[in-house]
Amino acid sequence: MFLSLLASISDPFGGHGMSFGQRFLFWLLVLGVAGGIARLSHAVVERHVPGAALLRKDLLIVILVTLLFTPALWVLIRLLAMPTADAAPDMWSMARYGTIFASGLIILRRGLPGPAEPEPELPQPRIYKRLPEGFSEQILRLTVRDHSVDVVTDQGVHTIRSRFGDAIDEMAPITGRCTHRSHWVTEASIESVERSGGKIHLRLINGDLIPVSRRYRPGLEEAGII
């Protein structure tokens, strides 16, 4: 509507015999039709040449918009008698208007950032259902204690009643590794590897030192963790 108002005031076609309201209606229709043609042209190009280079797509869109918009503009001029028939621009002039419009639309579309796409939400680990409502802490490790499992986070410890294997399964999709028959740590929580006297420990981001047993050492080496 703003562009229609601007065009009505500047009067690029010289519609001196028309009232301001008529000129405004004319340009509102022109820009509405142009926008629809531009959208259609973009959809056609994306459908038939989806893998084409960006520059080629833009060129095809400009050509389509020019070919479709030029006769549409001519029809609108004739229907609304603006300007008079003898003063109406020729087809070549209207083709230039269509090309300029399409090119400007491409520049505007490339220059302005599109709407940000929301990041897909990852499914939460099922173990969250066993933890306090609204749980949002970072889980660092799981440790067996008697018939329970300690869920150690960056803010504290939560104890749940569960088998160790079940608790590990419920941590998906968070990736982690067993370092010992009693310890499972998330890969994101590992800060460093410490070796002393032939023994290996993993230092976590909260300072915890977790032992690595012989049984699980090969798997950790293969994964490049130690």
Side-chain angles (χ1 to χ4, degrees):
M1 291 183 68
F2 173 76
L3 292 176
S4 299
L5 178 63
L6 182 63
S8 301
I9 295 173
S10 61
D11 200 9
F13 281 158
H16 305 298
M18 300 181 69
S19 67
F20 172 78
Q22 289 175 316
R23 292 199 303 271
F24 179 75
L25 176 62
F26 171 79
W27 283 108
L28 195 62
L29 289 173
V30 168
L31 292 175
V33 170
I37 288 175
R39 187 178 182 88
L40 174 64
S41 300
H42 181 267
V44 169
V45 170
E46 288 293 340
R47 179 178 179 181
H48 292 283
V49 285
L54 192 61
L55 183 60
R56 183 186 176 193
K57 286 184 179 180
D58 288 346
L59 181 60
L60 290 174
I61 291 173
V62 169
I63 293 173
L64 277 177
V65 170
T66 301
L67 292 176
L68 297 175
F69 180 64
T70 299
L73 179 60
W74 184 87
V75 170
L76 287 173
I77 290 176
R78 295 299 177 182
L79 289 179
L80 296 178
M82 187 222 122
T84 57
D86 57 343
D90 57 31
M91 193 65 72
W92 170 244
S93 296
M94 288 186 288
R96 284 184 295 168
Y97 293 138
T99 303
I100 292 171
F101 169 80
S103 301
L105 190 69
I106 292 296
I107 293 172
L108 185 64
R109 184 162 60 90
R110 297 300 180 210
L112 295 178
E117 296 184 0
E119 295 184 2
E121 294 185 3
L122 295 176
Q124 289 187 336
R126 287 179 293 135
I127 201 171
Y128 278 28
K129 296 179 180 179
R130 299 173 177 261
L131 300 172
E133 186 176 355
F135 178 83
S136 60
E137 303 167 27
Q138 180 185 357
I139 298 178
L140 307 181
R141 62 182 173 90
L142 305 178
T143 297
V144 175
R145 184 165 60 86
D146 297 330
H147 298 290
S148 302
V149 174
D150 285 342
V151 181
V152 181
T153 74
D154 58 344
Q155 298 181 30
V157 181
H158 302 275
T159 301
I160 61 174
R161 191 83 172 175
S162 173
R163 293 190 302 176
F164 191 43
D166 292 340
I168 293 174
D169 290 341
E170 292 178 8
M171 281 296 297
I174 296 177
T175 56
R177 299 281 177 174
C178 277
T179 66
H180 186 276
R181 66 178 182 178
S182 301
H183 299 284
W184 180 92
V185 302
T186 65
E187 291 187 1
S189 70
I190 301 173
E191 184 177 73
S192 62
V193 179
E194 298 187 7
R195 293 176 169 84
S196 177
K199 295 183 179 180
I200 300 177
H201 292 79
L202 298 181
R203 176 75 67 178
L204 305 188
I205 57 177
N206 66 340
D208 288 351
L209 202 59
I210 308 301
V212 175
S213 67
R214 291 182 179 179
R215 176 182 176 184
Y216 295 100
R217 179 173 175 175
L220 294 172
E221 290 177 339
E222 184 178 350
I225 295 177
I226 61 175

